[in-house]
Amino acid sequence: MSECVFCKIRDGQIPAMKVYEDARTLCFMDINPLNAGHCLVVTKSHAATLLESDDEDLKAAIVTAKRVANALRSAVKPDGLNMLQANGAAAFQSVPHFHLHLIPRWTNDGKGFDWKPVAGDRDQIMKVGEKLGRVLAGGVA
């Protein structure tokens, strides 16, 4: 896709600190990192979201994410790691190209991404779960 910033990085049209590359994936450092070591794993084939992505590309992205996560553990020694993936503007996806954020985390690093568990409406949970089950079984919503 000619206007996609990640495709331009893949093609060498935009500079990036690339840390890993294979036939299907590329990993480079995020230029707006939440923490030191924050990087992105992208599929080389353009797909806007998880829903449009090729299954083999998704498998490769997870394998690359694990490889890079292990390297982050050695390189920056975080206490934990967030792997985030967003689909669509409503989910705060800023670049419409499938990607995984790997974000090293340290205890009390002052960064967010937590929420307080609040009990849901049991009837609604059951209705949505039943609907989802029907769709997964090949039925209609």
Side-chain angles (χ1 to χ4, degrees):
M1 187 167 192
S2 63
E3 296 305 311
C4 175
V5 66
F6 291 169
C7 288
K8 288 180 177 182
I9 289 171
R10 174 200 65 205
D11 296 342
Q13 297 171 359
I14 295 176
M17 177 63 223
K18 296 178 182 179
V19 296
Y20 179 79
E21 185 171 2
D22 63 25
R24 290 185 176 266
T25 65
L26 173 64
C27 180
F28 52 88
M29 302 307 292
D30 194 305
I31 62 169
N32 298 302
L34 182 67
N35 274 336
H38 182 170
C39 55
L40 304 175
V41 173
V42 305
T43 54
K44 285 187 172 180
S45 294
H46 181 85
T49 70
L50 172 75
L51 301 172
E52 292 87 17
S53 295
D54 176 80
D55 289 351
E56 294 303 314
D57 288 338
L58 293 173
K59 290 176 190 176
I62 289 295
V63 170
T64 294
K66 181 179 179 183
R67 180 179 189 144
V68 174
N70 278 315
L72 283 166
R73 183 170 48 187
S74 294
V76 298
K77 300 186 179 4
D79 298 324
L81 178 90
N82 283 131
M83 181 171 71
L84 305 176
Q85 198 278 316
N87 296 281
F92 303 100
Q93 182 183 16
S94 59
V95 177
H97 184 122
F98 175 84
H99 59 286
L100 301 168
H101 288 262
L102 299 180
I103 307 169
R105 298 300 302 269
W106 287 270
T107 304
N108 300 318
D109 64 10
K111 305 301 193 283
F113 193 70
D114 60 345
W115 59 85
K116 303 283 184 244
V118 177
D121 178 292
R122 183 164 171 74
D123 288 338
Q124 181 187 31
I125 293 167
M126 297 301 287
K127 285 178 186 172
V128 172
E130 289 166 359
K131 190 175 190 179
L132 182 57
R134 285 192 303 274
V135 171
L136 287 167
V140 293

